[in-house]
Amino acid sequence: MNRSHLPSALTLALCAALLAGCARSGPTGPQAVWQDEFNGTTLSSARWTPQIGNGFMSGNDYVSGWGNNELQYYTDRPENVRVENGELIITARRGAYQGSANGQTSTFDWTSARVRTAGKFSRAYGRFEIRAKFPTGKGLWPAIWMLPEEPSPYGTWAAGGEIDIAEGWGSKPTELAQTLHYGGQWPNNVYSGTTVNFPNGGTMDQWHTYAVEWTPGKIQWFIDGKLTSEKTGWWSARGAPPTSDADLHPWPAPFDKPFHLLLNLAVGGNFDGNPNTSTPDTAEMRVDYVRVYGLTGETASPGPRPATKFPWTPAVARPAQPDGNLVFNESFDWADTDPRVTADAPRLDGVTQSAYWTLFRSDGQATLSNDAAAGKALKVDITNPGSVNYAVQVRQDGLNLESGGKYEVSFDAWAQTARPMMLKVGGGQDRGYAAYSGEQTIQLGTTKERRTVTFDMKVTTDAATRLEFNLGNAGTGPVWIDNVVVKRVGNAAGARPPAADGNLLYNAAFTQDSPNHPGIAGVPGTAYWSTWSNVPDRLTTSVSGGTVTLNVRDVDPANNWHVQLNQTDVPLTAGKSYTLTFKGRATDAREVAVVIGENGGSYARYLDKTAALSATEQPFTYTFTAAATNPAAQLQILGAVGTPGSSYGLSFRDFRLVQNP
């Protein structure tokens, strides 16, 4: 692909053949090297290809929900994508649709469209300009973005890069995300993003011109001609995971190769959550034009690689306290005059003895204070819980966790009303917000209680580790936290060996008890297994004759993961093939999800299939290839399925996971 700052003869010939007026001057003066004004009556097959389905193939494995737990099924129907009155119109529609996903026909509650220029147009560098109008509504996710033309010489996502020109949260119409994804190949990728507000008090449901100007070593984002963000540093590396500068691809990889354009309107998933009753049944993303211009300076040298912090870059570590506690001001009683409190230590607004602690809020609200009646414990009075667990997040940064260590987190916590809380020890943005501890759901009672979580640090040392108490999306009212300790208590165990019969799953017969792996609370014979429900009293579990049964009452099926049967610490090796088998049945026909993947972080899925259960027990078999080496992966059966409020039972036995020869 010619990456000259002037259009090549081939490019100009292609423009002339594809569309009249390709040489028309654009808003900034230079000639467009590619454009679509959507002046016809149908989407141009010479410029765009619709993508169909609810996922994609990654090697030999199918990734459902496009890797983001999205709900929609993309089609090329006029109901979802059409050209009309000089505009491309992508429509998301609520309504049952039968679609094929990985060879199986399933029913999807939403349809929409996603179109791309892959194989038809791609370019490195230039100005990519799109005039568009986005819909609003909880769970709507309009996006204008770019991916490398495949195959990328730097490897799979995100070592090959991704440029998000504009992504809108349907529930936050005044805000827009502008992001780069890069780093190592998933799951060792990172991202750098900026959330911006629309100029002049604008909102996403108005017409705006979105653009990026991409030159060697610099990418700038614009809304309506106003520069809103800029990135001048990124990286791409080989290795799984990359461990040193020797793994780096030459600067400015990966953003020095041709990328193609994508336009889509997603529904639900990780970005803005799932739709609710306020979400419209139809929503339109409208695009007036797409224009790509050459830029002066496209062939300039990017200069030397800027100073960059990589996951393996040594960092200045904050020492532990004399007793080994990595948390500072653990009891919220250090005065600002305490010699241990530095001038640059963060603090909680309005809390007098809160050095080293911070509060993050997305769409939640809370009032914080030292509660003298509770020994100066931190009182977090949640007035708006928000829509995600991190909507109200009390956090301490700067903990130095060393690779290969075993760590223990302990703290006192209670609430005015019994409720869950999510605890996480993990990385920041430069680590892709990885969860070193996994995301641990802690059920809080109404009396003060000591809680303890242990985990192994199995990734590169991180001197900027974050301890998070995530209190959002779980009701209002006060929560108290006190006496917080994070200590190294030994060395991490290696990957656990297979059981004596070669099974990578332990206690597959549901006959064992273990004080170190206690299993499902109150259910004998369930060592190494756990269950979870977003409403705990709606799930009861029993074991009989080697079969585990999950009795679900008044199910909430907003997400199938609202009911779970889990086993963690399952060792997998990248590139190796595995086969999972088990037998299952249900009180009536239910299709549950069968997942093996990451425990925490992005919750990436190496195996993501379904099991169609009936009242007659059936065997199920799945073969997959591990996308990453993970000594602590997890098996999950996700069973919140059916109509809201329905009740049913799910029964399983004879789980077996083996590595194939």
Side-chain angles (χ1 to χ4, degrees), residues 377-388:
L378 179 68
K379 180 180 179 182
V380 186
D381 192 355
I382 300 157
T383 55
N384 178 0
S387 60
V388 290

Side-chain angles (χ1 to χ4, degrees), residues 533-535 538 552-563 639-646 648:
S533 172
N534 65 318
V535 183
R538 292 180 180 174
V552 183
R553 180 177 60 84
D554 297 334
V555 69
D556 172 7
N559 294 290
N560 60 11
W561 43 264
H562 281 180
V563 172
V641 292
T643 58
S646 63
Y648 52 90

Side-chain angles (χ1 to χ4, degrees), residues 252-524:
F255 300 112
D256 62 344
K257 301 297 180 185
F259 277 54
H260 62 266
L261 282 154
L262 299 97
L263 308 172
N264 70 283
L265 175 55
V267 181
N270 302 343
F271 191 72
D272 195 43
N274 288 343
N276 58 25
T277 55
S278 71
T279 308
D281 290 340
T282 61
E284 292 183 342
M285 170 180 170
R286 292 176 171 261
V287 182
D288 182 25
Y289 64 77
V290 180
R291 299 170 182 164
V292 182
Y293 302 92
L295 288 175
T296 301
E298 285 186 3
T299 58
S301 169
R305 183 189 298 275
T308 302
K309 181 182 178 183
F310 306 106
W312 57 85
T313 302
V316 176
R318 186 177 78 188
Q321 295 194 63
D323 64 354
N325 192 0
L326 296 169
V327 175
F328 279 23
N329 193 14
E330 65 274 18
S331 298
F332 304 96
D333 57 2
W334 290 12
D336 284 349
T337 55
D338 191 304
R340 295 170 294 184
V341 176
T342 59
D344 61 350
R347 291 165 176 79
L348 300 169
D349 290 342
V351 184
T352 56
Q353 295 175 318
S354 61
Y356 297 101
W357 292 93
T358 62
L359 174 68
F360 172 80
R361 296 172 299 178
S362 58
D363 58 343
Q365 295 290 333
T367 301
L368 281 68
S369 61
N370 285 117
D371 191 341
K376 296 185 179 179
L378 179 68
K379 180 180 179 182
V380 186
D381 192 355
I382 300 157
T383 55
N384 178 0
S387 60
V388 290
N389 58 25
Y390 57 84
V392 177
Q393 179 189 87
V394 176
R395 192 176 82 231
Q396 185 166 144
D397 300 349
L399 283 64
N400 181 36
L401 264 64
E402 298 172 323
S403 181
K406 177 181 288 292
Y407 288 87
E408 178 183 274
V409 184
S410 59
F411 56 95
D412 297 328
W414 66 104
Q416 186 178 73
T417 304
R419 51 164 293 145
M421 173 186 74
M422 192 273 275
L423 172 77
K424 173 183 167 184
V425 182
Q429 180 171 294
D430 65 339
R431 294 294 186 97
Y433 300 103
Y436 309 145
S437 62
E439 295 185 355
Q440 304 289 334
T441 299
I442 309 293
Q443 296 295 332
L444 301 181
T446 57
T447 58
K448 184 176 180 179
E449 186 176 350
R450 192 74 180 164
R451 302 307 184 101
T452 301
V453 171
T454 59
F455 65 95
D456 292 340
M457 181 66 172
K458 295 181 177 179
V459 299
T460 306
T461 294
D462 186 356
T465 299
R466 300 151 43 120
L467 168 66
E468 301 175 6
F469 295 99
N470 292 287
L471 305 169
N473 195 28
T476 58
V479 174
W480 289 264
I481 301 169
D482 204 5
N483 303 317
V484 185
V485 177
V486 177
K487 286 185 177 181
R488 180 167 179 162
V489 293
N491 295 326
R496 75 184 189 190
D501 63 353
N503 194 350
L504 294 171
L505 300 172
Y506 281 19
N507 189 22
F510 296 97
T511 58
Q512 299 176 25
D513 296 301
S514 168
N516 296 323
H517 304 279
I520 302 167
V523 185

Side-chain angles (χ1 to χ4, degrees), residues 51-268:
Q51 290 187 272
I52 308 297
N54 180 251
F56 62 95
M57 296 301 298
S58 177
N60 296 321
D61 296 316
Y62 180 75
V63 181
S64 66
W66 300 96
N68 304 305
N69 297 312
E70 297 167 32
L71 303 179
Q72 79 289 329
Y73 192 92
Y74 286 132
T75 84
D76 59 359
R77 305 179 305 163
E79 295 96 320
N80 297 118
V81 57
R82 69 187 192 275
V83 173
E84 182 178 283
N85 298 325
E87 296 173 9
L88 168 66
I89 305 171
I90 295 176
T91 305
R93 294 183 178 274
R94 194 196 305 259
Y97 181 83
Q98 294 284 317
S100 176
N102 198 29
Q104 298 181 351
T105 300
S106 300
T107 300
F108 296 86
D109 293 333
W110 287 85
T111 56
S112 188
R114 166 167 155 161
V115 300
R116 62 178 184 166
T117 66
K120 302 177 186 296
F121 171 77
S122 62
R123 196 175 199 271
Y125 308 131
R127 177 180 171 90
F128 297 76
E129 179 180 299
I130 302 91
R131 185 171 185 263
K133 180 180 181 181
F134 290 163
T136 61
K138 175 63 177 174
L140 298 177
W141 180 3
I144 301 167
W145 52 303
M146 301 172 69
L147 284 173
E149 195 71 354
E150 298 177 347
S152 169
Y154 303 127
T156 57
W157 191 88
E162 175 182 323
I163 303 172
D164 296 330
I165 299 174
E167 292 182 287
W169 291 274
S171 64
K172 297 187 286 187
T174 63
E175 299 179 8
L176 191 81
Q178 301 171 333
T179 309
L180 294 181
H181 296 262
Y182 52 92
Q185 298 184 44
W186 174 90
N188 301 293
N189 52 288
V190 298
Y191 68 90
S192 176
T194 303
T195 298
V196 300
N197 291 108
F198 284 90
N200 304 315
T203 55
M204 61 190 283
D205 55 353
Q206 301 167 334
W207 284 103
H208 296 282
T209 301
Y210 304 101
V212 293
E213 293 192 356
W214 171 20
T215 55
K218 180 188 293 186
I219 300 176
Q220 296 177 312
W221 284 257
F222 298 83
I223 302 177
D224 299 334
K226 178 182 178 181
L227 177 65
T228 49
S229 62
E230 176 179 295
K231 304 295 181 188
T232 57
W234 51 77
W235 54 277
S236 172
R238 62 184 69 84
T243 58
S244 71
D245 289 8
D247 288 329
L248 289 168
H249 294 297
W251 168 254
F255 300 112
D256 62 344
K257 301 297 180 185
F259 277 54
H260 62 266
L261 282 154
L262 299 97
L263 308 172
N264 70 283
L265 175 55
V267 181

Side-chain angles (χ1 to χ4, degrees), residues 570-599:
V570 179
L572 300 176
T573 302
K576 298 294 185 181
S577 173
Y578 297 86
T579 296
L580 169 69
T581 58
F582 62 88
K583 296 175 182 176
R585 58 183 169 83
T587 52
D588 55 11
R590 303 274 163 176
E591 185 177 83
V592 301
V594 181
V595 173
I596 296 178
E598 182 180 353
N599 180 18

